[in-house]
Amino acid sequence: AKADREQNRSERSSAEQQLNRDKQMSRFKSRLAELMQREKELVESKASEKEINAIREKIAVTKKEMHFLRDQHPAPAQAADQLRGRAEKIEAAMRRIEHLKNAAEHLNMAEAHDLANKISAEAEQMRREVEEARHGLEVEMRKTHESKQHQEHAEHQDHHGGSEVQSLRAEVNRLRDEIRELRQLMEKRSK
């Protein structure tokens, strides 16, 4: 359980880093668009070669920084797999809790009250940990959703469309549906 909490913290931190990288990437894209516009204006106004080369050098540096940052991004499928894996762990933990509650009930019927109380306390502790993990997953999903929206907005502003953005949107929507189903399942089991 402690290892799961550490993994949840690590994954939340990872989501926050992803959000920061997305914001940086958006700033780089804006900067690149400004520089390219400036280069176009300089060429059209027949500015000196020195000025044009200075802008082109800035463009090259900005592109290198973007490529470096892009290399740090985990693939969307990998991020989706991580979230899906965490959701599956939460669901498995909920099943274990249910089994522990049933075992405690059976032990009470068998008049093994001390053992039943111990198992009930363990089940309650696990329930609190699972709730914490579920909340962390919801927060990360929200951040991921906000990050995707921000990224989609930036891509739209850059006039990029195409199948990659559509597949990301479909993946995000599919993950939202999965989380909604898991929430409903967890609510049913906790009643």
Side-chain angles (χ1 to χ4, degrees), residues 172-183:
V172 167
N173 287 332
R174 189 185 60 69
L175 286 172
R176 278 190 208 133
D177 292 340
E178 270 187 42
I179 293 297
R180 191 176 307 112
E181 289 173 14
L182 286 171
R183 281 185 193 147

Side-chain angles (χ1 to χ4, degrees), residues 126-152:
M126 283 180 68
R127 187 197 62 76
R128 284 192 296 269
E129 291 172 359
V130 166
E131 276 300 311
E132 181 182 317
R134 185 182 64 81
H135 176 71
L137 182 62
E138 288 174 359
V139 167
E140 187 172 338
M141 285 298 296
R142 222 174 290 122
K143 286 181 181 177
T144 301
H145 174 68
E146 290 168 1
S147 170
K148 294 293 182 208
Q149 280 183 329
H150 180 75
Q151 186 177 6
E152 288 170 3

